[in-house]
């Protein structure tokens, strides 16, 4: 494949090596030539299970969003501002346990430039073409700050999003350049056609059925559900859309310079179809309880590393769970 990732830094996902050979790892194919042709966009999404656009959004808009978000993480010490903030170099995160994480997380999701990216005409336009009607974005938005050493398990979005309709598309948007060694997204080619997923996992409801990540091992996932892993050297302005049945995850962030990966995932559906109450409405319920979306910080060696949602008290401050046997190993 053509990714620029440093050949000396091995690519891993969830700590497992990812095989770089041509039969195992390939490039996402650009769909830029289909922009403005809704029928072709729909047909190609059905065929590929994803649509990848280079520079769908003006990179200067994405850069504004990046600075807006990283500046807020710097306040928590999560970014080391002895380097330029835009470099996204990880800090010690000392303030995380002391602040109101609920208010912090809301401030990221409601930021002007962040919303300009996720709710802008470029992304809504493609979503509208894909869904052939007026679309709305899910009220919940998932900005992700992924520190060196962190990643994301393999899953499909369907079981997490489908209590309203299953006609939903996710958009994964890098907020800045993101190479595979820095934790780029990876989608499994042809997984959206996997009978095995369609007849089992994809019928589940993540919350009612207590789903964990489907798997951690990129090779075993590949052998069971699809073909090559597909990825890219993502650049500011790029957008990757995929459907609820497309299996995906992320490379571990192994940045040799300690750079954090910043990205966003958001979901879009038709405005005239029922919406999943977990993520929609004024006071959406999420995964229940008093929790805040704040993935990562595995070095705290806490069960929350397995979980992207942190328990918080009534002032929004993190409540760490008891360390479990599993965390210790
Ligand atoms: O960015 C990531 O690490 C995971 C994103 C994801 O799972 C999604 O977009 O559904």
């Amino acid at each position: 494949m053509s990714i620029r990732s440093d050949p000396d830094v091995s690519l891993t996902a969830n700590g497992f090596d990812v095989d770089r050979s041509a039969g195992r790892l390939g490039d996402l194919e650009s769909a830029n030539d289909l922009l403005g042709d809704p029928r072709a966009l729909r047909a190609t999404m059905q065929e590929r299970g994803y649509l990848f656009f280079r520079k769908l959004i003006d990179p200067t808009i994405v850069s504004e969003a990046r600075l807006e978000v990283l500046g807020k993480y710097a306040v928590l010490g999560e970014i080391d501002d002895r380097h330029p903030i835009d470099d996204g170099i990880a800090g010690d995160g000392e303030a995380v346990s002391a602040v109101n994480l609920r208010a912090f997380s809301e401030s990221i999701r409601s930021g002007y430039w962040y919303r300009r990216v996720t709710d802008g005409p470029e992304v809504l336009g493609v979503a509208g073409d894909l869904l052939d009607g007026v679309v709305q974005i899910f009220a919940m938005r998932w900005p992700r700050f992924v520190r060196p050493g962190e990643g994301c398990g393999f899953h499909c979005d369907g079981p997490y999003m489908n209590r309203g309709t299953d006609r939903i598309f996710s958009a994964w948007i890098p907020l800045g350049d993101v190479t595979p060694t820095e934790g780029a997204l990876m989608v499994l080619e042809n997984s959206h056609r996997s009978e095995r997923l369609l007849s089992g996992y994809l019928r589940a409801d993540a919350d009612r059925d207590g789903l964990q990540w489907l798997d951690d091992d990129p090779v075993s996932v590949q052998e069971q559900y699809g073909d090559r892993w597909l990825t890219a050297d993502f650049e500011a302005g790029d957008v990757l859309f995929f459907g609820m049945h497309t299996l995906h995850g992320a490379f571990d962030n192994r940045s040799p310079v300690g750079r954090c990966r910043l990205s966003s995932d958001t979901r879009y559906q038709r405005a005239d179809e029922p919406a999943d109450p977990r993520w929609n409405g004024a006071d959406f319920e999420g995964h229940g309880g008093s929790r805040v979306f704040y993935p990562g910080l595995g070095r705290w060696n806490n069960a929350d590393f397995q979980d992207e949602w942190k328990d918080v008290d009534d002032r929004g401050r993190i409540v760490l769970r008891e360390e479990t046997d599993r965390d210790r190993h």
Side-chain angles (χ1 to χ4, degrees):
M1 67 172 307
S2 61
I3 57 170
R4 291 188 310 257
S5 286
D6 186 343
D8 296 331
V9 180
S10 55
L11 290 176
T12 62
N14 310 303
F16 292 86
D17 282 330
V18 177
D19 184 344
R20 294 182 186 226
S21 61
R24 291 287 187 175
L25 187 62
D27 294 311
L28 289 164
E29 203 169 327
S30 158
N32 283 57
D33 56 326
L34 308 178
L35 282 168
D37 184 347
R39 257 174 212 268
L41 290 172
R42 290 194 285 274
T44 307
M45 174 61 91
Q46 214 168 4
E47 169 66 24
R48 292 183 191 159
Y50 73 89
L51 290 178
F52 176 46
F53 299 101
R54 288 288 189 193
K55 301 268 184 289
L56 182 68
I57 307 171
D58 178 346
T60 60
I61 293 174
V62 176
S63 297
E64 294 288 355
R66 175 178 178 82
L67 276 178
E68 176 184 272
V69 174
L70 288 181
K72 293 177 186 179
Y73 275 96
V75 175
L76 301 194
E78 289 264 43
I79 289 294
D80 183 344
D81 70 354
R82 292 171 297 177
H83 302 269
I85 295 232
D86 188 49
D87 287 358
I89 304 300
D92 60 16
E94 277 301 306
V96 173
S97 56
V99 301
N100 181 336
L101 273 192
R102 187 174 48 230
F104 174 80
S105 154
E106 181 53 32
S107 87
I108 301 280
R109 291 196 304 271
S110 59
Y112 173 83
W113 286 107
Y114 176 67
R115 289 276 176 110
R116 171 62 187 83
V117 169
T118 58
D119 299 37
E122 303 85 352
V123 175
L124 286 175
V126 171
D129 285 349
L130 284 173
L131 290 155
D132 199 14
V134 177
V135 291
Q136 65 186 27
I137 183 169
F138 276 33
M140 174 61 186
R141 295 160 179 83
W142 289 260
R144 275 176 210 269
F145 178 80
V146 181
R147 304 158 196 82
E150 296 178 349
C152 177
F154 299 119
H155 64 282
C156 301
D157 284 354
Y160 298 86
M161 309 286 161
N162 58 7
R163 278 193 199 163
T165 174
D166 60 2
R167 300 205 316 145
I168 303 165
F169 291 100
S170 291
W172 190 84
I173 308 178
L175 299 178
D177 298 353
V178 181
T179 63
T181 42
E182 291 169 340
L185 203 83
M186 53 206 286
V187 302
L188 188 62
E189 188 176 36
N190 291 325
S191 55
H192 61 302
R193 302 178 204 286
S194 159
E195 271 309 318
R196 187 154 174 208
L197 287 176
L198 290 167
S199 60
Y201 175 81
L202 284 167
R203 295 184 177 205
D205 177 301
D207 294 275
R208 289 187 193 124
D209 300 320
L211 287 195
Q212 301 290 325
W213 296 135
L214 179 63
D215 206 321
D216 286 341
D217 178 349
V219 174
S220 125
V221 166
Q222 202 156 34
E223 283 167 359
Q224 294 179 73
Y225 306 112
D227 298 318
R228 293 174 304 163
W229 284 111
L230 303 177
T231 191
D233 280 315
F234 289 93
E235 293 176 4
D238 297 348
V239 181
L240 173 63
F241 288 88
F242 51 89
M244 294 297 100
H245 298 169
T246 300
L247 206 155
H248 60 280
F251 292 98
D252 300 331
N253 180 355
R254 298 174 64 110
S255 164
V257 294
R259 194 170 125 96
C260 297
R261 180 254 281 186
L262 197 62
S263 62
S264 164
D265 33 291
T266 38
R267 276 87 209 172
Y268 305 82
Q269 68 165 86
R270 275 179 66 133
D272 58 3
E273 292 188 353
D276 190 324
R278 284 172 289 186
W279 312 117
N280 292 288
D283 284 315
F284 51 83
E285 52 194 68
H287 293 305
S290 188
R291 317 201 79 201
V292 165
F293 180 68
Y294 200 83
L297 289 179
R299 68 192 157 77
W300 288 2
N301 198 23
N302 186 271
D304 279 325
F305 183 46
Q306 303 298 325
D307 193 334
E308 305 187 315
W309 294 79
K310 306 282 188 272
D311 293 320
V312 291
D313 66 15
D314 61 351
R315 292 171 187 236
R317 292 193 190 126
I318 194 162
V319 178
L320 289 178
R321 295 185 203 159
E322 297 269 313
E323 197 182 323
T324 63
D325 278 350
R326 191 173 70 166
D327 302 324
R328 272 183 223 111
H329 296 110

